[in-house]
Amino acid sequence: DVTGFAFTIPYPQGTAQVEIVNDTDPSKPINMTTVSATNIVYVPPPIVNITFTTSGIGSDANGATVMTIDNTPYSYSQLQSLSFNWAPGSNHTVAIYSPVAAVSGKQYAFINWTNGDGLQGGTSNYTAPTIDTVVTANFKTQFQLTVTTNPAGLTPQPWVTPSGTGTGGTWYDANTNVTLIASPLAINTLKNWYTFNYWVLDGNPQKTNTIQLKIKMDQAHTTIANYAHFKMNGYFTDSN
C-alpha cells in the first residue's frame, strides 16, 4: 500500500513538483476513491549572475565595440555595468574585438580573460558556471609610430627596432623603447642621391647629423628623417 508519492514535471523555465496524498487521512493508503487533492509546487531553475567587464581600456574607446555576447554588441560604456542571469551549464557565444580603437594613434589590444572558463581571443563558447562570476577581458594600451623621410619615399627607409605590430608594424605597447637609425645616404626613384641631415620628432627638430633617434612610446609619435640633396663635385673617369 502507498500512503503518498511525489514526482516532478520538467518545464523549460523550471520544474513542477507534484505531491499526491490521501486527503482524508495522509497516514492511510491512497486509492482512486481516497485521492482528492494534489499539491503542486513550482521549483524554479537555479540562476547565476554573470558580469562581463574590461580592464585596461579607457573611456576614449567609448564608441567602439569591445565584445559581442550572443551576437549582441557591447561598447566600453555598456561594459561598466553589464550582467546576465543565466542557468548553470547554459551555453553562450562570446566574441572579443582587438584592437579596439581609441583616439588617433592609440588603441587597445586584447591580452587574455580572467575567469573566462575557456574563453579565448576571437569568438568562443562560454558555459555558465554554477556560481556568480565576474568575467574580465584584459587589454593593453598601444601607440602608433609613424616614420617617414623628407623628401618622401627615399630608399632605404630608416631602420626601426624592435619592430611593431599590426598593419605596417607601426603599433607598440605603451612605454616600449624604440630606436630609429637613418641611412647616411638615400636615393629616390629618379636616382637622385640625398645625405641625411637631421630628425624631426613630433614637429621638433633634433640634433643635426645624428642618425640615431631613441623614442619611448608613451604616446603616439611622428618622426621625419630629413635629407639634403647630395651634390657631387667633379666627375668620374674610366681609369683604363
Side-chain angles (χ1 to χ4, degrees):
D1 293 334
V2 177
T3 58
F5 64 93
F7 60 93
T8 60
I9 302 174
Y11 287 92
Q13 295 80 19
T15 60
Q17 180 174 309
V18 181
E19 180 182 359
I20 299 178
V21 297
N22 187 321
D23 191 49
T24 303
D25 186 349
S27 65
K28 294 181 179 180
I30 61 174
N31 54 48
M32 294 301 295
T33 59
T34 58
V35 174
S36 59
T38 60
N39 298 321
I40 301 177
V41 180
Y42 175 72
V43 182
I47 293 295
V48 291
N49 182 267
I50 308 299
T51 299
F52 284 87
T53 188
T54 62
S55 175
I57 291 185
S59 58
D60 50 5
N62 184 39
T65 297
V66 176
M67 71 177 73
T68 62
I69 302 173
D70 291 334
N71 299 317
T72 300
Y74 296 96
S75 66
Y76 164 82
S77 59
Q78 292 172 308
L79 287 165
Q80 301 313 297
S81 58
L82 180 67
S83 61
F84 302 90
N85 291 320
W86 287 339
S90 59
N91 293 317
H92 305 272
T93 301
V94 178
I96 195 73
Y97 283 61
S98 182
V100 176
V103 296
S104 178
K106 181 182 180 181
Q107 66 182 20
Y108 300 100
F110 175 72
I111 304 173
N112 56 25
W113 292 94
T114 300
N115 297 329
D117 290 337
L119 287 177
Q120 302 175 359
T123 302
S124 49
N125 182 71
Y126 178 76
T127 301
T130 57
I131 59 174
D132 293 349
T133 303
V134 176
V135 182
T136 304
N138 301 301
F139 287 80
K140 60 183 177 182
T141 301
Q142 293 184 326
F143 292 109
Q144 189 173 33
L145 174 62
T146 302
V147 182
T148 60
T149 60
N150 180 34
L154 295 181
T155 302
Q157 288 286 295
W159 291 275
V160 183
T161 183
S163 298
T165 61
T167 303
T170 61
W171 291 92
Y172 290 85
D173 293 351
N175 297 318
T176 298
N177 293 313
V178 181
T179 300
L180 291 77
I181 300 177
S183 173
L185 290 174
I187 191 172
N188 65 8
T189 56
L190 299 176
K191 306 302 181 183
N192 294 318
W193 286 91
Y194 292 83
T195 181
F196 176 77
N197 195 355
Y198 61 94
W199 282 102
V200 174
L201 173 61
D202 300 331
N204 300 308
Q206 306 298 298
K207 293 181 180 180
T208 303
N209 296 326
T210 302
I211 64 173
Q212 187 177 95
L213 180 65
K214 293 183 178 293
I215 300 174
K216 184 176 182 178
M217 295 303 296
D218 51 2
Q219 64 178 60
H221 289 292
T222 299
T223 62
I224 304 173
N226 279 272
Y227 284 79
H229 186 243
F230 181 70
K231 297 180 180 180
M232 184 180 300
N233 297 319
Y235 56 90
F236 293 102
T237 60
D238 191 342
S239 61
N240 295 324

